[in-house]
Amino acid sequence: MKAFLHDDQKCHYPKDYLVNGVFVDNPEHPARIDHLKTGALAAGCEFQQPKNSGLGPISAVHTPEYLHFLQHAHRRWSYIEGASEAVVADIRPVARDGAYPASVVAQAGYHMSDAAAPIGADTWTSACWSAWTAVAAADAVLAGDTHAFALCRPPGHHASAEVAGGFCYFNNSAIAAVQLQQKYPRVAILDVDLHHGNGTQQIFYKRDDVFTVSIHADPVRFYPFFWGHADERGEGRGLGYNLNLPLPRQSDDKVFLKALNTALARIEAFAPDALVIALGIDASIDDPIGGLAVSTDGFHHIGQTIKSAFSGPTVIVQEGGYISSSLAANLTAFLRAYTQK
Ligand SMILES: [Zn+2]
C-alpha cells in the first residue's frame, strides 16, 4: 500500500498546552512521526513524498478568513512586544455573533477553540504538508489504488471550517473526503480516534453527501466535551447523516468492536462510493492521554472488520495516537489488515 509523508511535517513543534489551568508538555511531538513511520513500514507500506497541491483542496473545506489568519498569525503576533513565542488565545467570543476583529489577539480567539493548538513559526508549513499528504493519498485512490495511507501530522479531526483546536489546524480527513468526491460523490468518514471528531462533524453537519461516523470516549466528561453526543444527528439535509457512538471510559476491544459493527451497518446502508478512515490510535490502553483500553490485537481486528465490511476505495488518514511503548505496533497491527494478502 502506498503511504505519504513529507519531511516538513516535522517542523511544527508545539512546546506546551494548557491542562487544568497548567501549561504541560504537548504530546503532539514531532517524534510521533518516527514512531508512526516505523509502524507503517513494518506493515509493508511504501512511502512517497506528496506534491504541493496548493491551497485549492484546503480551501474546499476551510474559510478564506481562517487560511489568511493561520498563514500570517505568527508573524503578526511576533510584532507584539513581550508576546509569547507561539500564538495562544487569551480571549474568545462566547457567541460567534459579533464583528470579525482586526487584531491578531482577537482573531486568535475567534479561530482557536482551546489552548491546545498553538501557532508557531512552522505551523503553517507543517499543516499545509499534512493536508497535502491527505490529498496525495486521495489522489492515489482516484488514480486507481484501492487503499492508501496518509501519515498526517499535525492531525486534523478537531479542526472545523474556521477553528483550530485539540492539536489540529487543517481537517485532513475532510480534505481527503472532498478530494475523493471528484470521482466518488458519496463518501463516508469513519473516525475511530479516542476523541470525537468534532471538526469533521461540523464541516459536514448540514450535508447528505458525506456521512460522518465517530466512535470515541463519551464526551460528557472528556474532550471535546461540547460535541460527540449520541443525539447529534445532523441538521437540515444532513439530518441522519451524522452518527456518534460514545463509549464508556476504559472500554476494551469487545465494546469497541461492537460499536464498530453498529457503525459499519449504518455505513453499509449509506452505500458510499469511497471511505475515509480517520485513524486515531489513541484509544490504545497504553496511550498517555488515557481514555479507552484497546489492545494491539484489537487494532488489527478493527482494521480487519472495516476492510471486510467495505472493500471499495479507502483512504486511511492518521489522526491522534501519542508516544507510548506500543504506538508503532498499534499502527502496524491496523495497517496489516490492508497490506497483508
Ligand atoms: Zn485523539
Side-chain angles (χ1 to χ4, degrees):
M1 177 165 65
K2 283 181 197 148
F4 296 89
L5 170 69
H6 192 281
D7 292 340
D8 285 352
Q9 288 171 235
K10 254 192 166 175
C11 303
H12 166 65
Y13 189 174
K15 299 287 189 300
D16 48 22
Y17 79 127
L18 204 51
V19 178
N20 305 325
V22 181
F23 276 103
V24 302
D25 289 347
N26 193 317
E28 209 291 280
H29 193 280
R32 287 180 67 235
I33 284 186
D34 302 326
H35 290 252
L36 294 166
K37 189 176 182 187
T38 300
L41 286 170
C45 286
E46 290 160 16
F47 275 90
Q48 300 181 8
Q49 289 227 345
K51 70 174 172 69
N52 176 335
S53 309
L55 294 184
I58 301 174
S59 66
V61 163
H62 296 284
T63 64
E65 280 174 342
Y66 179 57
L67 289 182
H68 186 269
F69 164 76
L70 204 57
Q71 183 168 14
H72 300 290
H74 186 266
R75 179 181 49 78
R76 295 167 63 204
W77 187 264
S78 71
Y79 298 151
I80 304 171
E81 202 178 331
S84 56
E85 199 285 312
V87 181
V88 183
D90 51 38
I91 182 165
R92 292 194 179 86
V94 173
R96 304 183 74 76
D97 56 355
Y100 186 71
S103 119
V104 68
V105 172
Q107 285 180 5
Y110 190 87
H111 290 298
M112 301 165 91
S113 65
D114 53 42
I119 299 168
D122 297 315
T123 301
W124 169 258
T125 300
S126 293
C128 284
W129 281 112
S130 189
W132 292 330
T133 281
V135 171
D139 283 347
V141 165
L142 287 170
D145 287 21
T146 312
H147 315 116
F149 174 54
L151 205 173
C152 294
R153 184 270 164 187
H157 73 151
H158 296 306
S160 66
E162 56 172 8
V163 181
F167 314 148
C168 301
Y169 304 89
F170 289 143
N171 195 311
N172 308 308
S173 294
I175 289 167
V178 172
Q179 187 76 359
L180 285 170
Q181 287 190 305
Q182 291 176 12
K183 188 167 161 189
Y184 303 112
R186 296 168 66 78
V187 180
I189 302 179
L190 173 58
D191 188 322
V192 297
D193 189 279
L194 165 65
H195 303 95
H196 174 242
N198 56 302
T200 316
Q201 169 172 304
Q202 185 274 337
I203 288 165
F204 298 110
Y205 207 57
K206 294 180 179 171
R207 286 172 57 165
D208 59 6
D209 56 336
V210 177
F211 180 34
T212 47
V213 183
S214 183
I215 304 170
H216 47 265
D218 194 331
V220 69
R221 290 183 183 280
F222 200 69
Y223 189 88
F225 299 105
F226 307 104
W227 310 278
H229 304 276
D231 59 356
E232 297 157 20
R233 297 167 47 230
E235 214 174 279
R237 285 174 68 97
L239 186 64
Y241 293 85
N242 184 77
L243 174 65
N244 287 328
L245 297 165
L247 306 180
R249 291 282 282 279
Q250 303 312 322
S251 288
D252 59 9
D253 297 355
K254 203 173 147 206
V255 178
F256 198 103
L257 285 160
K258 191 167 173 238
L260 182 63
N261 282 316
T262 303
L264 290 167
R266 205 68 77 78
I267 287 171
E268 189 185 352
F270 175 71
D273 304 312
L275 176 69
V276 173
I277 304 172
L279 179 62
I281 48 177
D282 43 1
S284 162
I285 191 166
D286 298 321
D287 197 274
I289 303 245
L292 294 175
V294 174
S295 71
T296 300
D297 264 2
F299 282 109
H300 186 59
H301 287 136
I302 291 168
Q304 280 183 318
T305 306
I306 300 171
K307 192 180 170 220
S308 51
F310 184 80
S311 57
T314 302
V315 176
I316 303 166
V317 176
Q318 184 68 50
E319 295 285 356
Y322 303 93
I323 295 173
S324 76
S325 56
S326 68
L327 179 60
N330 292 334
L331 184 60
T332 307
F334 182 94
L335 292 177
R336 270 213 178 111
Y338 285 88
T339 53
Q340 69 194 5
K341 299 283 178 267

